[in-house]
Amino acid sequence: MMKGLKKWRLFSLLAVMMVFLSGCGEDYLSTLKPSGEVGKQQLNLLLLTTVIMTLVVVVVSVIYLLAFVKYRRSRVGENVIPKQVEGSHTLEVIWTVIPIILLLIIAVPVVTTTYKFADVAAMDEVDEEGNKTALTINVTAKLYWWEFEYPNQGIVTAQELVVPTGEKVYFNLKAADVKHSFWIPAVGGKMDTNVENLNKFYLVFDKESKDLKDGVFYGKCAELCGPSHALMDFKVKTLSPDAFDAWVDAMKATEGQTADKASTDLGEATFANSCLGCHAISGSGAGGTPGPNLTTFGDRNRVAGFLEHNEESLKAWIKNPEEFKPGNLMMNAEGTAPIYGNLSDEEIEALATYIMGLSVEK
Amino acid sequence: MSSYTQKKGFGATVWDYITTVDHKKLAVMYLLAGTLFFAIAGFEALLMRIQLMKPNNDFVSAGFFNELLTMHGTTMLFLAATPLLFAFMNMLVPLQIGARDVAFPFLNSLGFWLFFLGAVFLHLSFFMGGAPDAGWTSYASLSLYSPGHGIDFYVLGLQISGAGTLISGLNFIVTIITMRAPGMTFMRMPLFTWTSLVSSALILFAFPPLTIGLLMMLFDRMFGGNFFDHTMGGNTVIWEHLFWIFGHPEVYILVLPAFGLFSEIIPAFSRKRLFGYSSMVFATILIGFLGFMVWAHHMFTTGLGPTANAIFAVATMAIAVPTGMKVFNWILTIWGGSIKVTTPMLYALGFIPSFVAGGVTGVMQASAPLDYQLHDSYFIVAHFHYVIVGGIVTALFGSAHFYWPIFFNRMLNETLGKITFWIFFIGFHLTFFVQHFLGLMGMPRRVFTYMEGQGWDQFNYISTIGALMMGVGVILMVINCLMSIKGKPAGRDPWGDGRTLEWSIPQPIPFYNFRQTPLVRGLDPWWIEKQEGNKEVTFAEPLGDIHMPNNSAIPFVISLGMFIAAFGALYNPDADKPWSIYILIIGLAITFGAMIFRSVKDDHGFHLHKEDIIEIEEQLYGKGGNK
């Protein structure tokens, strides 16, 4: 009876906290509105710890306020000399044991989930034909953009991660220059991208992103990585498994796609002359290009991760990328001019139209 | 032989302060220097908060913002909180244990000058080509990548400053172990002395890893040492370990003395001895010990693997137990007491709920899988500011009011003090409470700007308003301090409720502290004497000659040599500055020359004779005395 009552209390407290906390934040960004198994378990832990910890704060505050109200000198009298109590072993034992019990309640789920989240054994499982069964994505963090390579599919993209819903997606994380940290708040906790080793973890994406405000989840870089750390955003598009397969096929079909220097389209010719050295426009193959792969640029949500996705932003960006993302590698060593030289307004205009036209979805 | 009390000109006073080895003067110097850097770092924080007041703000540039956040963190921890606590430790520890000075007065002075010149060196970076910009943790891949000399300033400045801290820490350990008055057993020591001892022991063990880390970083930047350069087989995670093996205990180095200060204030204004004294001592030692076992909780997302994460998660949570013991002991000290709400007590009362709130979010972050979401988000920023501002800064402000009469023989204004408290306290909660939610809503820390419409705009605005209020509070506090110059002398035991030895000394405190070494007859010796109706503490010896150390300029010269050498080391990697090597040699020559001079020249100090003491006390407390 008592036990049931206590459970009921905890449950209602949890429910109240849930309503209170989930009032905060946006679906596509908040850790309080998770869209995936990992994020949901983390939210559960958050709720559990918040309830226990709020309880502690409340109990301490009540005792303390009570003491304060009862024993003010103005109340007990100016000349009262209180009894000089040494201490109480019973009390001291009580407030040692209670925290230990509370911590044990937290520690058990903490240890089990720690091991659960770190279980990436499925990355190496293969089916009868020797193909990997799990979807693995190699994430490389660079100054200041993200590269996403799908080794089993043989495709690569940048800045916008595309994943299927309803299955565990495994990640190999690495940084190319300085340390970054890969974080999709609304889907699950982060993992650092170190320069010297691969970090592995998995996430699950439950919800298709097309109904969200921008049609994408927001991803962030969580580790200080230089002046443009704050601008190192990426986006996550989640598709139904069928739509994802279609996207993979469309990416594969871009194999060998390239820009022609002799093209009559000024944009394409300029791209071939000035940009192709760093930016690939074929989504087929492996990563490792100096600049982000631009195959899907027209399908994306933002220019450079945070500017509005239109030709105006793109033109301004091409003209002076340093102004928007200080310290990015599109500039010469002094940061004074873009490494592709100064383009004429006409060229930039054409270039922007051309890059915006790069798409696999339309 | 009455030259000790002669009036001096300005130049002589400056010279006196440069050469002094008196722990009380050094305490005042720590207080002033710490306040200076506290103000600088607070100003940096305000600039950052103004930048983040609205989305897409361009008040400061991205690069400068990173310099601000690096210098704010570095300055607050190394150059503001540490010296301010050292000010209290320097002033109070010898007085609380009934000593005439610290064990090594010369080293005490050396510690101050190393800290101060190291701090000045670090701050010169703003005017000499850019401050460090890789965060106060200065994680290796970014700090190696960072162009310019910012990181070199960080490495060299902290190295010099850290040496000063280490020296002072050693000094306190020896002082407390060897210089206690007769009867002052370990289990009768005031809790502030206890926490100073444990905190100094932490310094002894925590600063060497930092020194090594900084030295490796220096080698990497100056000579291509490749300890951390992964392209040459180095490993950046090593830096993270070295930094946090230092960095986590550093938190306790700061917060334990803060606990100690509250353990003095709360009994005094409750008129009751500290509840559970022995368990408080035990908890202090336990926290100090556990502080070393938990550094990897700063690295849950680094990828150490589930076993390391699980072990460090549980170990971290364990710290909540001794900390909880302390909190309940404080509350039970109040319980059944007679609480007088003075300004210091107000800070202590504000501290309890604020610090508990900061502590419980610590347990939340210790839950490793949950930390994957919280780490490097604004939730962390909220957490550690609750601990550092709610714990350490309130301790410093409260104790400044409490101990002002010991420092300067003046009282701070109580009304203004209470107004300051409320403005600062409300501003503090306004600033940092909402940041918990910003973190949960996906805002990473250390961002110089953010897009609008991510749901963060309002909370950031509120946070900035709070920060401005905190700024106003600090300004009021400084005004209060300046106003006290004109105040009346406070005299002995001005609060009337002093319990420990420092309150038993007549004001102003003579440079030899105790005319005769006191005899300690129990916990809270001054309280015991007052209860028995005594006007003085019982003495352990008859009035006799006192041996005191001589002043010396050598600590300043040693530190100055290091300061000069640092410029040589800083510019050494630049091909166009061949003279830098000579600067390095000259600086080191000055340092080692001064050390050798000190070694070969005997300095036995001097004896203060009985008649001198009587004459000095006549001048201090006799007719026309008590200035």
Side-chain angles (χ1 to χ4, degrees), chain A residues 205-240:
Chain A
F205 303 81
D206 280 353
K207 191 154 93 178
E208 282 182 49
S209 61
K210 60 175 187 284
D211 303 325
L212 297 168
K213 192 182 99 183
D214 286 339
V216 285
F217 289 105
Y218 282 17
K220 302 277 173 190
C221 173
E223 184 64 70
L224 182 65
C225 55
S228 290
H229 162 57
L231 307 172
M232 203 176 149
D233 288 7
F234 62 99
K235 303 291 173 286
V236 186
K237 193 175 272 178
T238 54
L239 303 171
S240 65

Side-chain angles (χ1 to χ4, degrees), chain B residues 65-304:
Chain B
F65 187 90
N66 284 359
E67 294 180 9
L68 286 175
L69 74 86
T70 305
M71 288 301 280
H72 169 70
T74 310
T75 309
M76 276 300 188
L77 285 165
F78 289 100
L79 314 176
T82 312
L84 286 171
L85 287 166
F86 272 3
F88 290 105
M89 280 155 80
N90 252 309
M91 178 59 85
L92 298 172
V93 166
L95 299 180
Q96 287 194 329
I97 62 174
R100 294 219 165 86
D101 205 326
V102 291
F104 307 115
F106 179 89
L107 289 187
N108 203 10
S109 164
L110 181 61
F112 172 81
W113 286 111
L114 283 172
F115 141 70
F116 184 70
L117 289 176
V120 169
F121 181 79
L122 185 54
H123 276 79
L124 285 176
S125 62
F126 275 117
F127 312 102
M128 297 176 71
D133 57 359
W136 88 283
T137 57
S138 210
Y139 272 11
S141 56
L142 181 61
S143 55
L144 292 183
Y145 187 85
S146 172
H149 281 303
I151 303 298
D152 302 316
F153 273 108
Y154 173 92
V155 167
L156 290 160
L158 287 191
Q159 194 71 290
I160 296 173
S161 220
T165 309
L166 186 56
I167 288 172
S168 304
L170 271 166
N171 205 348
F172 286 121
I173 295 176
V174 180
T175 306
I176 296 169
I177 292 179
T178 63
M179 307 264 294
R180 281 166 294 130
M184 178 62 82
T185 62
F186 274 106
M187 292 315 276
R188 284 180 186 173
M189 282 193 326
L191 215 76
F192 178 66
T193 299
W194 254 115
T195 52
S196 298
L197 175 62
V198 176
S199 162
S200 300
L202 293 187
I203 287 175
L204 180 63
F205 291 108
F207 270 72
L210 176 72
T211 307
I212 295 302
L214 290 173
L215 198 70
M216 287 161 113
M217 179 77 79
L218 183 71
F219 272 41
D220 270 16
R221 299 226 9 145
M222 270 180 73
F223 314 122
N226 296 330
F227 286 109
F228 305 122
D229 183 356
H230 74 286
T231 59
M232 302 298 285
N235 189 314
T236 58
V237 180
I238 301 286
W239 168 265
E240 293 179 34
H241 279 295
L242 281 173
F243 186 85
W244 287 117
I245 288 173
F246 147 77
H248 195 78
E250 167 73 5
V251 179
Y252 296 98
I253 290 171
L254 298 176
V255 87
L256 285 177
F259 288 167
L261 290 167
F262 283 124
S263 301
E264 303 293 319
I265 293 174
I266 291 173
F269 296 112
S270 306
R271 270 192 193 155
K272 205 162 148 258
R273 65 169 282 178
L274 191 66
F275 191 87
Y277 172 87
S278 49
S279 70
M280 286 297 244
V281 171
F282 175 70
T284 305
I285 296 170
L286 198 61
I287 292 172
F289 178 76
L290 287 175
F292 274 99
M293 304 295 141
V294 298
W295 78 90
H297 69 214
H298 297 266
M299 298 163 67
F300 282 153
T301 65
T302 301
L304 302 181

Side-chain angles (χ1 to χ4, degrees), chain A residues 71-82, chain B residues 268-271 337-342 495-497 527:
Chain A
Y71 299 105
R72 264 169 310 147
R73 194 165 300 174
S74 52
R75 234 181 108 115
V76 296
E78 192 60 38
N79 296 320
V80 172
I81 300 295
Chain B
F269 296 112
S270 306
R271 270 192 193 155
S338 160
I339 307 166
K340 185 171 183 190
V341 189
T342 57
W495 297 103
D497 288 319
W527 175 263

Side-chain angles (χ1 to χ4, degrees), chain A residues 28 31 42 64 71 73 78 84 86 103 115 143 179 183 185 190 192 194 196 199 220 222-223 226 229, chain B residues 66 141 145 236 240 271 273 276 301-302 317 338-339 349 369 372-373 375-376 440 453-454 497 499:
Chain A
Y28 53 86
T31 62
Q42 284 163 338
Y64 145 84
Y71 299 105
R73 194 165 300 174
E78 192 60 38
Q84 304 292 305
E86 191 161 325
L103 291 179
Y115 279 94
L143 296 168
K179 196 177 146 115
W183 187 27
K190 65 187 73 65
D192 290 354
N194 294 329
E196 57 268 294
N199 272 340
K220 302 277 173 190
E223 184 64 70
H229 162 57
Chain B
N66 284 359
S141 56
Y145 187 85
T236 58
E240 293 179 34
R271 270 192 193 155
R273 65 169 282 178
T301 65
T302 301
M317 288 178 193
S338 160
I339 307 166
L349 294 170
Y372 301 161
Q373 283 286 26
H375 187 75
D376 272 336
L440 295 174
Q454 298 186 92
D497 288 319
R499 303 177 72 83

Side-chain angles (χ1 to χ4, degrees), chain B residues 14-22 26 29 105-107 109-114 117 549-561 590-591 593-595 597-598 601 603:
Chain B
V14 171
W15 181 248
D16 185 41
Y17 271 87
I18 287 177
T19 60
T20 189
V21 295
D22 180 1
L26 284 165
M29 286 153 80
F106 179 89
L107 289 187
S109 164
L110 181 61
F112 172 81
W113 286 111
L114 283 172
L117 289 176
N550 280 323
N551 283 0
S552 171
I554 297 176
F556 179 72
V557 177
I558 292 176
S559 312
L560 193 68
I590 294 174
T591 297
M595 285 177 174
F597 179 74
R598 155 86 178 167
K601 185 178 165 278
D603 182 356

